[in-house]
Amino acid sequence: IGISIFAAALVSGGTYFYKGVVPAPVPTAVIGEKPDRVIGNQFAVSIPQDLSANQTKLLKIAYKIAKEDGHKNPEIVQAILLQETRAGSMKNFRVVNPGKDAYFGLLQIKVSAARDVLSRHPSLWAKYNFHTTTDDEIKANLILNDYFNLEVGSKYLLLLKRQYGFSGRKLLNAYNRGPGGVANVDDNFHYAIGAEKKLAQYKAGAVF
């Protein structure tokens, strides 16, 4: 109910009409590097000294979803979760760069990327109780439903792996730069390095 109310609020005076069909596949979306590089702290910096109970819970959920999706290395979704929003500890991460190029939620996902995933996994519409197929309800779920956000991000990584053959650091960087933009950076690009470092710190249980 909360998501539906929020979705309604996103459309000023708008009315939803259920389309009854799943949107046609769209070209693979570019997640994209955020201009100010603030949200996500994409340089190789440490994660917070003490992870909260909620952060720990989200990291466990990220691993579980990635494992269910068949990732050979489920920790990759944890790495991106730490890199993008420090597992939900960044300020104002729910909506970043408002406008047509906005990023939403834990894994900083664009609506175009979410639609790309939904077009390939139409069962997600029913799984997450969508009432419409509008951008506004997709945004609302990306913002408010952490499970949905994490599952979309996990499945977007699968798309990058299966459609383009990315793996390792290239896969991490492709999540950030998009399948086309990744060609412009090498494996030492700060995004992959930062994600790997944060994951290693989390796994080590170190105090920073």
Side-chain angles (χ1 to χ4, degrees):
I1 295 174
I3 289 176
S4 298
I5 292 172
F6 185 85
L10 287 172
V11 183
S12 299
T15 303
Y16 283 110
F17 295 95
Y18 180 64
K19 298 178 182 178
V21 295
V22 175
V26 296
T28 301
V30 175
I31 296 289
E33 186 176 13
K34 285 165 277 300
D36 58 11
R37 296 184 182 175
V38 174
I39 295 293
N41 230 340
Q42 294 169 352
F43 295 104
V45 297
S46 297
I47 59 178
Q49 290 188 355
D50 297 302
L51 292 174
S52 69
N54 188 58
Q55 286 173 282
T56 300
K57 176 180 134 182
L58 290 171
L59 286 160
K60 288 180 179 177
I61 293 170
Y63 185 92
K64 180 176 181 289
I65 287 173
K67 189 172 181 179
E68 290 172 349
D69 278 344
H71 287 281
K72 290 183 179 179
N73 178 18
E75 293 172 339
I76 190 169
V77 180
Q78 291 179 317
I80 290 174
L81 176 57
L82 288 166
Q83 179 73 338
E84 287 292 346
T85 61
R86 297 191 187 182
S89 71
M90 301 293 290
K91 290 183 179 178
N92 305 319
F93 72 88
R94 294 291 178 183
V95 182
V96 176
N97 194 32
K100 65 185 178 105
D101 293 320
Y103 308 85
F104 301 98
L106 291 170
L107 294 183
Q108 293 290 278
I109 298 170
K110 295 175 76 172
V111 170
S112 54
R115 280 202 175 276
D116 214 5
V117 168
L118 286 161
S119 71
R120 288 164 171 79
H121 302 276
S123 63
L124 294 179
W125 294 106
K127 180 178 179 178
Y128 289 98
N129 299 313
F130 273 78
H131 296 92
T132 72
T133 56
T134 61
D135 283 357
D136 289 300
E137 191 162 0
I138 292 172
K139 290 176 189 176
N141 275 277
L142 289 173
I143 293 166
L144 298 176
N145 192 325
D146 292 339
Y147 282 85
F148 176 72
N149 193 289
L150 292 169
E151 185 161 4
V152 168
S154 174
K155 284 178 166 56
Y156 186 75
L157 285 167
L158 288 178
L159 185 158
L160 292 172
K161 285 201 293 187
R162 293 170 179 171
Q163 186 167 332
Y164 298 96
F166 295 131
S167 62
R169 287 183 177 175
K170 274 192 171 55
L171 179 58
L172 286 167
N173 287 329
Y175 184 91
N176 176 247
R177 302 283 293 180
V182 74
N184 299 322
V185 299
D186 61 25
D187 285 354
N188 293 318
F189 185 59
H190 64 76
Y191 186 88
I193 297 295
E196 287 180 355
K197 180 174 181 180
K198 293 181 184 72
L199 178 64
Q201 291 169 330
Y202 165 65
K203 287 170 65 179
V207 177
F208 310 101

